[in-house]
Amino acid sequence: DCKNYIPSHYIKNVVRGSYDREMLCVDMEALPFADESIDLHITQDVFEHLFHPDKAFLEIARTLKPGGAHLFTVPLVNKNQRSLQHAALRPDGTVDHRMPATYHDDPIGPQSALVTFHWGYDICDYILNATGLATSIFTPDDLSRGLRAEYIDVLMTIKPDPSPKATDLAAVSD
C-alpha cells in the first residue's frame, strides 16, 4: 500500500545509493535523500550497530519533511542506566572494543553485526542533544495480541511543522 516505500540496508561491498536485489544500499550517517524529502523513516534495530549514531539521527532529521516522523526500534538494554558505547571507530578505521565484542545476526549473515551501543532510556536525551528533536518511547503491552516481551519498545521522533497550515489544524483540533 506504500507505493513510494524504499527498502534499504547497509550492504558491504555495494556502492552506497545503488540497489542490490531491490534493496537500496545506504549509510545511515550519509543518507542519499534530499533535505526534507521523506515523510516517514522506519528503522528496526539499527542504532545499536552504528559507530556515529548522532550523525545518523542528524541525517534522519535533515531528510524528514516538517511533520514527518522517525519510527524505530532499538534494544533498550540498559533501561534506567546510562547508555554505554561498547565499540568505537579509531581514526585509522580499526575498531576499539571498549567491552567484549558482541555481534547480532542480521539479514546479511549470522553474527555479522557488531554491537556498538547498549542504549538506555537516555537515548531520548541523546537524540534531542544531537538533533534538537524530541523522542517518545512507547512500550506496547497487549497479551491479546501477543505483545509482551523484553526489548519491545518503539521510539518515535517527530519533526515539528511550523507552517501556518499545521498551526491552523492544531488550533482546530483543540
Side-chain angles (χ1 to χ4, degrees):
D1 291 346
C2 299
K3 63 181 178 188
N4 294 322
Y5 175 73
I6 303 169
S8 65
H9 196 81
Y10 176 80
I11 307 167
K12 291 179 183 174
N13 303 320
V14 173
V15 176
R16 306 299 165 259
S18 66
Y19 281 85
D20 182 61
R21 294 172 297 220
E22 299 182 17
M23 188 80 60
L24 178 65
C25 182
V26 299
D27 176 350
M28 291 295 297
E29 297 173 13
L31 293 173
F33 307 116
D35 293 356
E36 298 187 346
S37 63
I38 304 292
D39 293 307
L40 176 66
H41 280 286
I42 300 172
T43 59
Q44 297 173 281
D45 297 345
V46 171
F47 281 84
E48 72 273 24
H49 301 293
L50 301 177
F51 286 109
H52 304 286
D54 56 329
K55 290 181 182 178
F57 286 122
L58 271 171
E59 278 294 280
I60 286 172
R62 175 187 67 77
T63 59
L64 276 177
K65 291 179 181 178
H70 177 210
L71 188 65
F72 64 107
T73 57
V74 64
L76 297 176
V77 175
N78 281 12
K79 304 281 184 221
N80 292 313
Q81 298 172 11
R82 232 174 24 92
S83 296
L84 292 175
Q85 187 171 13
H86 279 235
L89 204 55
R90 293 184 183 108
D92 67 1
T94 61
V95 177
D96 174 14
H97 293 280
R98 298 174 177 178
M99 307 276 183
T102 304
Y103 294 85
H104 290 166
D105 293 348
D106 84 0
I108 302 303
Q111 297 291 306
S112 60
L114 175 67
V115 175
T116 57
F117 278 84
H118 275 182
W119 293 103
Y121 293 132
D122 64 346
I123 190 173
C124 295
D125 292 331
Y126 183 94
I127 297 166
L128 181 65
N129 290 332
T131 67
L133 301 179
T135 300
S136 299
I137 301 173
F138 303 92
T139 305
D141 185 40
D142 184 347
L143 283 177
S144 71
R145 292 186 170 95
L147 295 173
R148 181 173 289 163
E150 189 76 29
Y151 313 124
I152 197 169
D153 305 294
V154 177
L155 294 87
M156 185 169 60
T157 305
I158 298 175
K159 186 174 190 174
D161 185 348
S163 71
K165 181 175 139 186
T167 306
D168 292 345
L169 289 175
V172 169
S173 66
D174 286 341

